[in-house]
Amino acid sequence: MRSNKVSILLEQACLALGLIVVLGGGASAAEFSLKAKAGSMTLPGGETVPIWGFALGEGPPTVPGPRLTVPPGEGLTVHLTNLLPVPISFVIPGQKLPDNNAGPVWTDWPNDTVTWSGSRPEGNYSARVRSFTHEVPPGETRTYTWSTFEEGAFIYQTGTNPAAQVQMGLYGAVTKNFSASQAYGHPDTIFDKELVLVYSALDPKMNEAIASRRYGPGTSTPNTRDYVPKYFLINGKAWPDRYLAKVSGTTEIFVGDRVLIRLLNAGYHTFVPVFLNAYVTARAEDGQLYPFARKQYALELAAGRSLDVWLVPSKSETITIYDGRLNLTNAGKPTPGGLYAKIPVIGPLTIYKTRYSQATKTLKVFARTKESPGTVVLTAVGFGDLAYRPSKRDYYGAFSPVPMKPDSVTVVSSAGASDTKPVPFTLR
Amino acid sequence: MRKSRWFGLALGAWAMLEMTTAAWTQAKIIGVEGTSFDLVARQDRITLGDGDSMLMWGFALGEGRMQYPGPTLILRQGDTVTVTLRNSLPREAGNVSIVFPGHEVTASGGVEGVLTREAPPDNTTVVTYTFTATRPGTYVYHSGTRPDLQVEMGLVGVIVVRPANPTPTPDCPPVPQGHNEAPPRSLCAGTKFAYDHPDTAYDREFLILMTDMDPRVHRLVEFGRIKEIDTTNFFQTVWFANGRNFPDTIANAQVPWLPTQPYNALFLMHPGERLLVRMATLGRDPHPLHFHGNHVRVIAKDGVLLSSGLGAGPDLSYERYTVVVNPCETVDAIYTWTGALMGWDIYGHAPGDPLAPYEFIGDHGANFPVILPSRDDVKFGQLYSGSPFLGGEGFLPPEHAGLNVGGGFFYMWHSHTEKELTNNNVFPGGLITFLGVVPWNVPLESE
Amino acid sequence: MGPVICDGMSHAEKGFLRNPSRKKEAVMRWKRFLSIVALVSAVGLGIGVCSMAQSNFMVQCPADNDGIDADGDGDPTNDIVCKHLTAGDGFATMADGTVMYTFGFSEVPEDVPPGQVFALRQVKAELPGPTIVLREGQELYLNLTNVGMINRPDLFDTHSVHWHGIPNSGSIFDGLPESAPTVKIGATFPYYYATLGKEGTYFYHCHVEVTEHMQMGMIGQIYVLPRQDQDMVLRSSGNPPYAGFAYNDGDGSTGYHVSKAIQLAGFDSRFHAQHIAIQNLPFAQLKDDYHLMNGRGYPDTINPNLLGASPENNGHFSQRMDARIQARQGERVLLRVHNISTTHLFTVRVLGIPMKVVGIDGKLLRNGSKDLLYETSSLTIGGGQAADLLLDTTGVPPGTYFFYTTNLSELINGQEERGGIMTEIVVCPASGCGT
């Protein structure tokens, strides 16, 4: 155990940077400092909407909030700072309530002037719960601890007036695995790549009302009865946002990878992710393994649920997922939007881009391979070797002069894989 | 309370003509068999249960009119299947395509869309989809282009894949414990199999595709105002079983007055038979399908047996009295009925009377437990025979149309989201259909 | 003389008369009513009667003197359960104070004379209707009297009881107006159900004009306790001993100490307002805005008092059931949950207590040797579905936990927020509640 002074300094430094701190002595716990803040979000199509979200450190809040990872064998401690004008709290459905839970908190709704913590006042049958766990008053910081934390994928979210607050964006994903490459204790839960997809929805008029405090008793938006979501998001993005492909926690997915896809629904309605040209194996729900795995192509992703499914791509094609309930538009526009997800799969060797310039007579070839860098040599047949670029994690070759645009180019690797792709015509 | 006037009239008229014919029901699903299908997306109209007419986009087989739902494609496990698609929809509809969840499809021709290759509305370009029907089961297909609009408009269909093994046999259903024996083999429909395992055996087959509709969308299309359609505002008010609203669901299949809605959803079976119920949903909402009469045993979902491992068959099957089918999902289940353990002889036998096939021996001769009220005290259902006994008949009042077949027990199979049992504000309607259990002396088609 | 065909006499009557030496020597106890006397004497003489056989308020309820202990509880005289229910209308009060017109069932107390059933049981509809609990092996004679809808005297709807989900049922007692007789105002229909092999969670509702009658509140709970409840050895395998089991599991895996039945439903306030105003009913616009657990929206779900006694309801308490749950730490809680909403599916969760699904739709989640019981924090229950949820409070710190819908936008009572489908589970210290 370090000296107190050093440990405090380290803790403060790490809290400021929002990094994981492993406490010395006894059970370890991952520790995070989350801040709940107001911010704004640009929706597909350009509309901006006020949001309330979580952030680690001083940056702006994100929707969903930052992905939290609890290392194998550890517990979790969250320090939550409330920079919002209303009380909030913290829950992780699927886990027990925090060890230090001092809630729930009831109020004398609709006035919300009197609060009771811990138990309902005797004989009072009109008080309504406001928070499932102890609250963080505006401007203050409170802690929530789990000395033991269940393995699985879960949504962390505000536990205060959830119907109003969760849709504002106060949610994110927290995961804990059995080991770096195994999700649960069961050997069938080994994975090579882990992909987290947080589904959610947004009704801009609700966000506007709640952010401007025109929500609740006596206002024009007294409750969520008229909640009609207009935007449907995966990890905060909607089609055709290309960055959906860059989902958190994963690098490239290769053919043959055992991919663990963790789908979580932070919205209020069921979504039905449908996998095209593929079946997945569903093994766990809400962090609990099913008694038997099941192969299916359509998943019932109910509100608040998490599903762990495994997919082993057999071809270097894109994993395509769409919503069977057809939430496939951004605010009703006729162009494709909403819940399409496309995740590229790279073959053992994949040419992912080719360019030919007529002006400079240069052929550029970009490729990726699943082999570790330095263990293979990639050669564009008839042109020359490609070189590894650590910053891009790819192989690149520019060949000149190439007098005529070739119809296609083939790249072979010394490991025996090969790929051929057509070369498009470009003017530059 | 505002009961549809149509109920009595329509039910009486159509059903009287069709239902009283013996041996009218088929033991298997109506569809098209083969390995090569040429589909064309076309605009046309359908008739709703309240008599209204609705503009639709649907799949046609070749040059005929489109149908709702699209043609049920009946395939054989192992076949390589080619489906071509041409787009004959109006220009404003845009491109069209087909996706086949559960199959690995290679698409070619046309233009690249988000999900698959698409055919522009030029009535010329042909897009080709090829796949191998690797696994038996029930699947759906639907347009992969702007599906929130095009599935709503009707571009939907079902695929059934029959297993290579085991092959059908002309056997009667097995006799459950405590029941009387089977009838002569010639009366039985024969044993077929849904998947590659003997525990997926069935005698008759029933398909129900559940869909929903927001008529406002169709009217906007009809009046040339597609641009105003905002599918985030969907509010369904019409519901279909196999493309029809009740009471059309229980009229006959392929009737001339529903030219673009060829499929029905009425079924008859005998006690002891195993009915394979193939369920699918396409549209915006899940539907909880509730079965009066007995539980069903769910054996497969999305074309995959609920199985603990290769060769184990559906050993993870479970029973339900209501099955929620989510959009794009498919569920296969087996339904049986014998009236066991009801505590009274359902045939009204005296103890010395001969037993009926598959009769539950324990209740044989047991008295009917109550005295039914006087005729003045009750209202009789149109599908009531006049007698509480299977195969019985009894007095029916003069205003009664007498639509019961063979003294059968008629069970409503319906969505249990009860608002879905209406046709645009009129009850009854929507997602209602019936199963009739008729005694063995009422012949049903066998094969 | 050939078979007697006349008013009121069907095959049923003939069957009943044909074999008086049946296993159960039925001695019918008739409620005295003038026009029945003739029928009774005619029955005794063994001839059909062609007079106006009035079943009006006749309750058919045989005595159990067959000497057989059908439910295995040691008493051979208690295997027949008689219920006399009425179908009529009434009013319920929502958590925001709104009084809503309802249809519903209620139970006729023993001391109501037959001639007074009609008058005394009007505007007594309960929400939910009376709960019926049976032991496997018992037989239920459920007599349903239609007392009419006094607030809508223009309506002449029949009513019925549909026991939702009972396996291998017959049409005559299935309650479907299309395929069975349903009972008119002023008359009584005798339903009969045997429960052998049918342990589990079900519910009942009227099936006449089903969208309307269910939306208006004609819903009730019914469940069958398994035979295994009589197995004292298995009961004491729990620590403390189990109060009962959800199913005949053979190994105690569905054993519980506390049980609560919870019915999810909903009202569309506009529909109910149009109804009492004798206007056209807006079926196409149906969308519940008051979501209910056992007939109440939060916080009335945790109110232990009888509710619903409005002036409209003549001061009669129509909502007699709460949805509170209380258990001592270490106990197992069985929640029999079903959804009977006409417009919504619900996903439900218990926050902080592991929730194990042990049964769905009246069947144990087991197929032969394959156990299909599973744990989750989100169970989706569609209309017409039931689920048996077992909560294990071992190691759960004493406190208040919440059972609610994750479809958070439905936590409403009309215009109120923080209402709807939510109730509280109080886990007391192992030493006991009431400290």
Side-chain angles (χ1 to χ4, degrees):
Chain A
M1 175 127 170
R2 294 188 181 83
S3 78
N4 267 350
K5 198 167 179 187
V6 175
S7 133
I8 289 170
L9 279 175
L10 259 179
E11 223 180 272
Q12 285 181 338
C14 290
L15 283 173
L17 293 171
L19 296 177
I20 298 168
V21 170
V22 175
L23 301 175
S28 318
E31 194 165 350
F32 297 94
S33 285
L34 284 176
K35 293 184 174 17
K37 315 179 186 180
S40 77
M41 186 173 174
T42 305
L43 295 169
E47 183 180 353
T48 33
V49 76
I51 55 109
W52 292 348
F54 293 107
L56 281 170
E58 300 310 317
T62 59
V63 174
R67 160 95 182 274
L68 305 180
T69 311
V70 177
E74 297 193 12
L76 173 69
T77 298
V78 171
H79 304 287
L80 181 57
T81 303
N82 183 3
L83 301 174
L84 293 168
V86 295
I88 61 168
S89 57
F90 198 76
V91 289
I92 307 178
Q95 299 288 340
K96 296 194 287 264
L97 297 186
D99 301 335
N100 65 331
N101 177 33
V105 176
W106 287 262
T107 71
D108 62 330
W109 187 92
N111 302 320
D112 273 11
T113 50
V114 185
T115 64
W116 298 271
S117 276
S119 62
R120 172 177 288 276
E122 190 72 31
N124 180 330
Y125 307 118
S126 60
R128 299 188 191 207
V129 64
R130 181 167 73 186
S131 300
F132 295 131
T133 53
H134 53 270
E135 294 183 336
V136 187
E140 300 187 26
T141 302
R142 294 286 185 277
T143 302
Y144 300 84
T145 59
W146 286 264
S147 55
T148 57
F149 196 85
E150 297 293 321
E151 284 148 12
F154 306 90
I155 299 170
Y156 67 81
Q157 59 185 155
T158 172
T160 302
N161 201 354
Q165 292 195 4
V166 172
Q167 63 174 306
M168 288 300 289
L170 287 165
Y171 52 83
V174 55
T175 60
K176 174 178 172 181
N177 289 329
F178 177 76
S179 76
S181 58
Q182 193 168 321
Y184 299 88
H186 197 291
D188 286 350
T189 62
I190 289 174
F191 62 89
D192 298 305
K193 300 284 160 57
E194 186 187 30
L195 201 65
V196 172
L197 303 177
V198 178
Y199 282 68
S200 61
L202 207 144
D203 177 354
K205 73 175 190 300
M206 282 272 157
N207 281 51
E208 305 276 355
I210 293 168
S212 59
R213 319 301 304 281
R214 283 183 291 107
Y215 175 90
T219 69
S220 52
T221 312
N223 64 7
T224 46
R225 181 191 164 171
D226 295 327
Y227 169 78
V228 178
K230 296 288 174 191
Y231 292 94
F232 306 92
L233 312 168
I234 302 177
N235 292 346
K237 306 282 183 195
W239 189 265
D241 196 322
R242 289 181 292 117
Y243 291 104
L244 180 59
K246 267 200 205 169
V247 292
S248 70
T250 194
T251 55
E252 304 91 349
I253 294 175
F254 290 104
V255 167
D257 276 346
R258 286 160 302 188
V259 185
L260 162 56
I261 305 177
R262 316 193 95 144
L263 304 104
L264 302 99
N265 185 354
Y268 295 176
H269 299 136
T270 300
F271 294 122
V272 182
V274 176
F275 284 78
L276 216 46
N277 291 329
Y279 275 89
V280 299
T281 304
R283 293 189 192 281
E285 172 175 316
D286 298 344
Q288 299 287 338
L289 281 175
Y290 289 134
F292 296 94
R294 207 173 72 205
K295 272 181 89 151
Q296 45 196 122
Y297 63 72
L299 304 173
E300 181 186 83
L301 189 62
R305 180 177 295 165
S306 80
L307 289 172
D308 290 331
V309 306
W310 270 253
L311 172 60
V312 182
S314 57
K315 290 203 265 278
S316 62
E317 279 171 10
T318 311
I319 300 170
T320 304
I321 314 172
Y322 69 97
D323 176 30
R325 290 193 73 184
L326 311 180
N327 292 300
L328 300 169
T329 170
N330 298 324
K333 294 196 186 53
T335 48
L339 301 176
Y340 288 106
K342 291 197 143 202
I343 298 132
V345 175
I346 306 166
L349 168 61
T350 299
I351 300 168
Y352 73 86
K353 191 161 59 176
T354 59
R355 288 284 183 270
Y356 177 76
S357 166
Q358 185 74 4
T360 63
K361 305 269 190 274
T362 304
L363 171 69
K364 293 182 181 172
V365 181
F366 303 76
R368 286 205 166 93
T369 178
K370 77 186 292 189
E371 311 301 332
S372 305
T375 65
V376 281
V377 176
L378 264 52
T379 310
V381 175
F383 297 101
D385 286 352
L386 307 179
Y388 182 70
R389 299 192 296 178
S391 60
K392 304 272 195 211
R393 294 197 315 274
D394 70 358
Y395 290 78
Y396 168 73
F399 307 102
S400 190
V402 176
M404 293 274 290
K405 180 188 85 71
D407 286 335
S408 67
V409 63
T410 300
V411 172
V412 297
S413 87
S414 51
S418 77
D419 190 25
T420 303
K421 283 286 189 324
V423 180
F425 185 75
T426 48
L427 288 173
R428 283 184 288 106
Chain B
M1 183 49 213
R2 296 292 165 266
K3 209 177 191 170
S4 166
R5 274 194 288 281
W6 285 97
F7 175 51
L9 281 172
L11 194 50
W14 297 323
M16 270 289 267
L17 287 172
E18 311 297 334
M19 283 174 54
T20 50
T21 317
W24 64 273
T25 190
Q26 64 283 348
K28 65 175 188 179
I29 289 164
I30 299 174
V32 282
E33 299 185 10
T35 57
S36 181
F37 307 91
D38 294 320
L39 298 181
V40 180
R42 277 213 171 83
Q43 181 169 281
D44 210 315
R45 310 191 75 87
I46 62 167
T47 305
L48 301 188
D50 61 350
D52 202 353
S53 165
M54 194 65 58
L55 186 79
M56 304 291 287
W57 297 341
F59 294 111
L61 201 57
E63 300 314 312
R65 291 173 79 170
M66 73 98 197
Q67 57 176 90
Y68 182 65
T72 300
L73 308 181
I74 302 180
L75 313 175
R76 267 179 339 195
Q77 182 182 16
D79 282 353
T80 302
V81 179
T82 305
V83 178
T84 68
L85 175 66
R86 207 175 80 233
N87 186 349
S88 185
L89 294 172
R91 286 241 145 250
E92 314 79 74
N95 296 353
V96 79
S97 61
I98 308 179
V99 290
F100 303 85
H103 294 104
E104 280 189 54
V105 179
T106 311
S108 61
V111 299
E112 189 66 31
V114 177
L115 292 182
T116 186
R117 306 290 297 182
E118 304 180 338
D122 57 14
N123 199 24
T124 312
T125 309
V126 173
V127 177
T128 307
Y129 306 98
T130 318
F131 61 92
T132 305
T134 331
R135 359 165 43 112
T138 310
Y139 303 88
V140 293
Y141 66 89
H142 64 86
S143 171
T145 308
R146 201 179 171 192
D148 50 316
L149 173 62
Q150 297 198 356
V151 167
E152 162 72 50
M153 289 301 293
L155 286 159
V156 299
V158 173
I159 292 175
V160 168
V161 181
R162 303 217 182 282
N165 290 302
T167 50
T169 62
D171 294 332
C172 285
V175 177
Q177 197 178 26
H179 289 70
N180 186 35
E181 61 191 16
R185 204 183 247 208
S186 56
L187 289 184
C188 295
T191 301
K192 281 80 69 179
F193 301 90
Y195 289 82
D196 300 341
H197 196 276
D199 290 349
T200 67
Y202 67 92
D203 304 287
R204 297 183 188 279
E205 189 180 37
F206 178 48
L207 168 66
I208 178 164
L209 172 67
M210 298 182 276
T211 55
D212 50 35
M213 169 190 286
D214 180 348
R216 299 174 301 173
V217 173
H218 298 249
R219 302 217 197 284
L220 285 173
V221 171
E222 190 170 2
F223 299 139
R225 294 161 61 182
I226 285 190
K227 290 189 175 42
E228 295 173 43
I229 293 172
D230 176 354
T231 59
T232 62
N233 281 334
F234 77 92
F235 193 79
Q236 314 305 73
T237 56
V238 188
W239 294 271
F240 300 84
N242 293 343
R244 295 183 184 177
N245 316 128
F246 181 80
D248 300 336
T249 47
I250 65 169
N252 246 8
Q254 293 163 329
V255 289
W257 58 83
L258 294 171
T260 53
Q261 295 155 280
Y263 303 143
N264 73 341
L266 171 65
F267 218 80
L268 301 184
M269 63 183 273
H270 295 127
E273 287 183 330
R274 299 152 297 185
L275 182 61
L276 172 67
V277 186
R278 300 181 183 268
M279 296 167 256
T281 297
L282 284 170
R284 302 308 302 255
D285 289 326
H287 303 290
L289 186 60
H290 172 55
F291 309 91
H292 283 236
N294 208 0
H295 288 76
V296 291
R297 177 171 286 280
V298 176
I299 60 169
K301 287 181 91 166
D302 292 354
V304 178
L305 274 185
L306 300 179
S307 182
S308 64
L310 209 57
D315 60 339
L316 306 180
S317 67
Y318 49 79
E319 293 182 86
R320 293 277 187 274
Y321 46 64
T322 304
V323 175
V324 171
V325 187
N326 288 296
C328 286
E329 204 177 45
T330 69
V331 180
D332 296 320
I334 309 257
Y335 179 93
T336 60
W337 189 95
T338 61
L341 294 174
M342 277 171 56
W344 49 280
D345 189 315
I346 59 174
Y347 299 93
H349 291 145
D353 289 345
L355 288 142
Y358 303 101
E359 177 180 346
F360 180 65
I361 299 171
D363 284 337
H364 184 67
N367 273 346
F368 193 70
V370 294
I371 295 180
L372 291 179
S374 129
R375 195 187 316 134
D376 296 331
D377 289 342
V378 294
K379 194 158 148 189
F380 286 174
Q382 302 291 331
L383 292 168
Y384 180 58
S385 65
S387 159
F389 299 115
L390 188 61
E393 340 179 292
F395 177 88
L396 295 171
E399 77 270 12
H400 199 284
L403 302 177
N404 183 283
V405 173
F409 288 171
F410 279 79
Y411 298 108
M412 190 191 278
W413 285 8
H414 61 98
S415 166
H416 217 277
T417 306
E418 261 78 12
K419 75 169 289 194
E420 299 182 351
L421 308 184
T422 57
N423 293 329
N424 242 347
N425 218 36
V426 174
F427 177 89
L431 250 168
I432 295 177
T433 184
F434 279 88
L435 167 81
V437 179
V438 298
W440 278 89
N441 59 0
V442 175
L444 300 176
E445 197 177 286
S446 43
E447 36 146 31
Chain C
M1 185 176 170
V4 178
I5 314 269
C6 47
D7 276 302
M9 293 291 178
S10 61
H11 284 227
E13 175 110 354
K14 288 165 67 330
F16 189 82
L17 295 170
R18 189 193 296 124
N19 190 359
S21 62
R22 56 188 282 216
K23 201 164 60 164
K24 282 194 192 43
E25 198 61 58
V27 174
M28 302 297 286
R29 246 189 317 117
W30 308 109
K31 293 236 161 120
R32 296 305 239 157
F33 195 68
L34 207 60
S35 52
I36 289 175
V37 174
L39 172 64
V40 170
S41 49
V43 164
L45 290 170
I47 51 170
V49 156
C50 292
S51 69
M52 45 299 163
Q54 289 184 357
S55 71
N56 298 32
F57 310 110
M58 179 172 86
V59 171
Q60 298 182 42
C61 186
D64 179 12
N65 33 24
D66 62 357
I68 297 172
D69 179 21
D71 61 1
D73 71 343
D75 181 354
T77 64
N78 65 358
D79 301 321
I80 292 183
V81 176
C82 287
K83 291 281 176 191
H84 185 186
L85 299 186
T86 61
D89 63 352
F91 294 86
T93 307
M94 302 292 100
D96 65 353
T98 306
V99 176
M100 292 234 214
Y101 180 50
T102 66
F103 291 176
F105 298 101
S106 83
E107 192 161 359
V108 181
E110 281 274 344
D111 57 359
V112 174
Q116 296 293 305
V117 170
F118 199 77
L120 291 180
R121 303 310 299 168
Q122 290 180 321
V123 200
K124 289 292 196 295
E126 288 171 23
L127 179 73
T131 298
I132 302 174
V133 182
L134 303 164
R135 287 188 295 277
E136 186 188 352
Q138 288 184 317
E139 295 168 275
L140 173 65
Y141 286 78
L142 192 164
N143 294 269
L144 181 71
T145 300
N146 182 344
V147 296
M149 273 88 73
I150 199 168
N151 291 284
R152 283 295 305 266
D154 60 311
L155 298 180
F156 43 88
D157 293 23
T158 58
H159 287 301
S160 72
V161 166
H162 167 59
W163 175 328
H164 183 106
I166 189 171
N168 267 308
S169 72
S171 282
I172 186 69
F173 301 128
D174 194 34
L176 268 181
E178 293 82 4
S179 60
T182 51
V183 68
K184 292 181 181 171
I185 299 176
T188 302
F189 194 95
Y191 290 89
Y192 167 85
Y193 307 97
T195 64
L196 199 61
K198 300 170 192 176
E199 78 276 18
T201 302
Y202 306 88
F203 44 99
Y204 68 91
H205 58 86
C206 179
H207 221 291
V208 177
E209 315 259 352
V210 64
T211 304
E212 175 197 355
H213 288 210
M214 281 186 62
Q215 163 66 222
M216 293 302 287
M218 295 195 76
I219 51 185
Q221 305 182 10
I222 185 166
Y223 50 93
V224 180
L225 305 174
R227 184 67 180 240
Q228 193 174 291
D229 278 6
Q230 315 304 332
D231 181 342
M232 290 308 155
V233 174
L234 217 44
R235 292 264 295 271
S236 35
S237 70
N239 182 23
Y242 296 122
F245 306 94
Y247 292 93
N248 295 316
D249 51 54
D251 56 10
S253 43
T254 67
Y256 62 87
H257 302 98
V258 171
S259 105
K260 188 82 181 180
I262 302 210
Q263 179 179 78
L264 308 178
F267 281 173
D268 175 324
S269 54
R270 180 176 38 198
F271 193 93
H272 288 245
Q274 294 281 81
H275 210 299
I276 194 63
I278 318 182
Q279 299 300 307
N280 284 334
L281 294 174
F283 285 105
Q285 289 152 51
L286 268 176
K287 184 180 173 196
D288 289 343
D289 54 342
Y290 288 81
H291 301 295
L292 311 168
M293 291 176 115
N294 291 348
R296 303 173 180 196
Y298 186 79
D300 286 350
T301 48
I302 55 84
N303 190 332
N305 300 309
L306 303 178
L307 296 178
S310 58
E312 290 88 334
N313 211 37
N314 297 334
H316 173 75
F317 290 104
S318 53
Q319 291 147 288
R320 312 174 81 84
M321 198 184 298
D322 63 43
R324 293 188 327 159
I325 301 145
Q326 198 172 67
R328 289 178 296 187
Q329 185 190 49
E331 289 186 321
R332 294 189 352 186
V333 178
L334 173 68
L335 297 179
R336 298 178 185 270
V337 186
H338 63 268
N339 182 3
I340 209 165
S341 165
T342 58
T343 60
H344 282 71
L345 289 78
F346 290 109
T347 302
V348 294
R349 148 187 303 155
V350 174
L351 192 65
I353 306 179
M355 183 169 89
K356 191 173 218 175
V357 187
V358 302
I360 295 182
D361 288 359
K363 294 286 179 185
L364 174 64
L365 280 186
R366 186 181 284 163
N367 189 7
S369 63
K370 298 291 190 291
D371 246 356
L372 303 178
L373 287 65
Y374 72 102
E375 270 193 45
T376 184
S377 288
S378 59
L379 179 68
T380 304
I381 309 184
Q385 284 198 307
D388 301 292
L389 308 175
L390 206 53
L391 311 181
D392 191 348
T393 64
T394 308
V396 173
T400 304
Y401 299 82
F402 294 88
F403 179 45
Y404 65 104
T405 178
T406 60
N407 303 111
L408 300 176
S409 46
E410 309 311 320
L411 291 172
I412 59 177
N413 304 318
Q415 305 276 59
E416 288 188 342
E417 50 159 12
R418 288 160 62 183
I421 305 258
M422 178 174 285
T423 188
E424 297 173 0
I425 303 176
V426 174
V427 176
C428 310
S431 51
C433 305
T435 34

